[in-house]
Amino acid sequence: MLDFFGRFHPVLVHLPIGFLLLAVLFQWMGKMASMAYLRLSVPVILVLGMISALFACVTGLALSGTAEYPESTLGWHQWMGILTTLLSLGMFWAVQRKLPLYINGFGVLILAGITVTGHLGGTLTHGENYLFGEADAGPALPPIADIQAAHAYNDLVQPIFEARCVSCHGATKQKGKLRLDDPVHILKGGEDGPAIKVGDPDGSELIRRILLPANAKKHMPPVGEAQLLPHEIQFLQWWVRSGADFRQPVNALPQTSADKQMLSLVESASQGLAGDAAPGNNGGTAPVFPLTAFIPNKEVKPADPATVQRLKAAGVVVLPVSRESNYLSVNFVTAGDRLEDSTLHLLQGIREQLIWLKIDEMQISETGFPLLGQLTALTRLQLSRTNLSDKTLSELLSLKNLQWLNLVGSPVTAASLVQLEKLPELKQLFLYQANISTADWDALQKALARVQIDTGNYRLPLLPGDTSLVK
């Protein structure tokens, strides 16, 4: 029964707001001789405002007992609503007694009461940032240098939930009794049961509601809130399908070729669209360059279609860097674990258009590295966990347009890396798990003073789900 009456609160709560604002407005406008007649209706409007405010308070109290709301915010909302109702009674008394000073005082207090009560109600309904928060879907993820080395939950799932879900499903508010701010509550689910069904994204209520049409009643997030971006949805689907693991890095979870392409897209999206600052190797912040910064202003002719088709036939992903450009991005994520010289020779056929190249966890021959060095239009190059060495690193010094270089997990030393100062455009260098001693970092940073060096040595807060119980 409480639930039935409580559902009338969102309807009734707007009536006293309108009546009381109108009463105050007519009272003040009626001070002008030409509009003195407006004051005649003020007592009637105040009575209507008091009655509707009373019903709003009763239904609000009923609603508060049927859902989980933050106690502090709920308490203030309730008492401010009751106070505003009493203030309307006070203004009615002052109007009847024709006491101008009291009428004006109660009018000001009613406006303040409506403002505060309404704000608190909006916070309960839409979350803490509903008034000044951005409704557009901005970036949820911080820049990720190597998604395969990232922690699946801490680095990816948790930031997505924080940006898209926690305002309604967090510690201060739980719509449907669902919390998505830590692993324990995620697994527990809400009033409709478990939020995720491990291994089955299609059967997971969380994924199902995200995929509902935007105008559907149960679509999450609600219309007007920041929606999940396509690559964020795809990542969550993969995470649930791969076991919804809260402890493992991405590379420890099962991946198909399509999954690897999707993860590569998530990585690129995080680097190109996330924030204005990212952690640097000294614990401070450094600029994050959008992907558009790595596209030359000078346009080129389209690449040879036959060469592109031969690369695709070899399992290589070839994509334009944008719809408006003929420049290309090449990714070997689905091309096996060894890069043949014959495939590198094919890249020479699109060397004018090729500006982004990603080669991860592959073996490259010593004769292959000079071929890489001939791809002089490259602005971004990723060689994480390859067999790049001090000997072969020098072959990359001909890449004079290179601005972004990822050598995560490569067996290169600081003595060799100082050669990269010869690359005049280099802005960002990723060296997590590189073969560099602690003593060499300062010397390397001085040698590459104009380069942002990212060591990836971040420390994340310990979460409830990161602990283990031994019985």
Side-chain angles (χ1 to χ4, degrees):
M1 187 62 71
L2 283 177
D3 182 50
F4 175 75
F5 284 111
R7 291 178 183 179
F8 285 95
H9 181 70
V11 178
L12 295 175
V13 74
H14 297 94
L15 292 176
I17 294 175
F19 283 133
L20 296 180
L21 288 177
L22 189 63
V24 174
L25 179 64
F26 276 17
Q27 178 64 37
W28 290 348
M29 291 178 63
K31 293 180 180 181
M32 294 183 288
S34 61
M35 294 186 178
Y37 61 90
L38 292 177
R39 298 167 67 178
L40 299 175
S41 60
V42 170
V44 176
I45 298 174
L46 282 172
V47 169
L48 293 174
M50 284 187 288
I51 294 173
S52 57
L54 181 61
F55 277 108
C57 288
V58 172
T59 54
L61 289 170
L63 181 63
S64 68
T66 64
E68 292 186 12
Y69 294 102
E71 292 185 6
S72 177
T73 305
L74 178 61
W76 276 104
H77 177 64
Q78 289 177 345
W79 285 111
M80 287 303 300
I82 294 171
L83 177 61
T84 303
T85 303
L86 295 176
L87 288 172
S88 66
L89 178 61
M91 184 171 178
F92 178 78
W93 168 82
V95 168
Q96 291 296 92
R97 296 295 188 275
K98 298 181 180 181
L99 303 172
L101 184 62
Y102 285 94
I103 292 173
N104 292 334
F106 279 118
V108 171
L109 291 175
I110 285 174
L111 291 179
I114 290 174
T115 301
V116 174
T117 308
H119 172 68
L120 294 171
T123 300
L124 291 171
T125 305
H126 302 291
E128 293 184 359
N129 297 320
Y130 85 100
L131 186 58
F132 299 108
E134 294 291 336
D136 295 333
L141 299 174
I144 301 172
D146 183 358
I147 196 168
Q148 293 292 338
H151 190 284
Y153 175 74
N154 289 0
D155 295 340
L156 291 143
V157 177
Q158 186 185 39
I160 292 174
F161 284 170
E162 286 287 341
R164 312 292 186 223
C165 310
V166 167
S167 63
C168 292
H169 301 285
T172 60
K173 179 184 178 183
Q174 302 91 41
K175 278 189 175 181
K177 299 183 180 180
L178 173 64
R179 286 180 61 174
L180 296 174
D181 56 332
D182 66 61
V184 173
H185 289 97
I186 293 171
L187 292 174
K188 179 182 178 182
E191 63 183 11
D192 293 324
I196 59 175
K197 186 176 181 181
V198 175
D200 182 12
D202 294 334
S204 297
E205 187 68 9
L206 174 69
I207 302 299
R208 188 183 73 81
R209 294 202 180 191
I210 289 172
L211 295 175
L212 285 174
N215 59 355
K217 181 179 179 181
K218 293 188 176 182
H219 170 78
M220 294 200 316
V223 174
E225 302 291 338
Q227 301 296 304
L228 278 81
L229 301 175
H231 66 271
E232 296 168 359
I233 297 174
Q234 292 173 3
F235 176 82
L236 291 178
Q237 289 175 304
W238 168 78
W239 178 68
V240 173
R241 185 171 57 251
S242 65
D245 193 285
F246 292 91
R247 301 177 181 280
Q248 299 294 328
V250 170
N251 59 18
L253 303 179
Q255 302 171 27
T256 64
S257 296
D259 294 334
K260 290 181 179 179
Q261 292 188 49
M262 177 274 299
L263 292 168
S264 177
L265 174 63
V266 174
E267 177 185 296
S268 296
S270 76
Q271 295 167 8
L273 301 174
D276 298 320
N281 64 305
N282 59 356
T285 60
V288 174
F289 304 97
L291 288 177
T292 52
F294 302 102
I295 303 176
N297 293 324
K298 180 182 178 181
E299 192 49 85
V300 293
K301 63 183 180 181
D304 176 36
T307 302
V308 172
Q309 190 56 43
R310 291 177 65 187
L311 283 165
K312 291 182 177 180
V316 181
V317 179
V318 183
L319 296 171
V321 297
S322 73
R323 294 180 181 179
E324 299 79 21
S325 176
N326 291 324
Y327 286 109
L328 297 176
S329 168
V330 168
N331 193 335
F332 283 81
V333 66
T334 57
D337 57 4
R338 183 173 180 81
L339 182 54
E340 301 295 338
D341 286 1
S342 58
T343 307
L344 285 173
H345 278 293
L346 284 178
L347 293 180
Q348 306 305 314
I350 58 170
R351 58 186 292 183
E352 186 179 354
Q353 296 81 16
L354 178 56
I355 59 172
W356 300 350
L357 178 59
K358 184 174 181 180
I359 304 173
D360 289 330
E361 302 181 9
M362 300 187 75
Q363 295 295 308
I364 306 173
S365 68
E366 287 194 9
T367 56
F369 282 104
L371 294 174
L372 286 178
Q374 295 176 25
L375 304 175
T376 53
L378 286 177
T379 60
R380 290 169 56 96
L381 176 59
Q382 181 158 328
L383 296 173
S384 63
R385 295 180 176 82
T386 65
N387 60 326
L388 178 72
S389 64
D390 288 350
K391 180 180 179 181
T392 54
L393 180 66
S394 60
E395 302 293 346
L396 306 181
L397 300 181
S398 57
L399 304 178
K400 302 300 182 182
N401 293 307
L402 197 64
Q403 302 176 44
W404 188 98
L405 180 59
N406 186 331
L407 302 181
V408 169
S410 299
V412 287
T413 64
S416 176
L417 288 168
V418 295
Q419 301 176 79
L420 296 178
E421 65 177 346
K422 298 177 182 178
L423 298 179
E425 301 298 324
L426 189 63
K427 297 182 178 72
Q428 290 181 291
L429 177 62
F430 296 86
L431 294 176
Y432 178 54
Q433 294 181 343
N435 185 26
I436 301 174
S437 66
T438 304
D440 290 333
W441 279 117
D442 289 341
L444 181 61
Q445 183 65 76
K446 290 179 181 179
L448 303 176
R450 58 183 170 77
V451 179
Q452 175 194 336
I453 302 178
D454 192 320
T455 68
N457 189 26
Y458 313 137
R459 293 189 179 275
L460 298 170
L462 187 66
L463 300 171
D466 294 334
T467 59
S468 301
L469 294 178
V470 180
K471 297 183 179 179

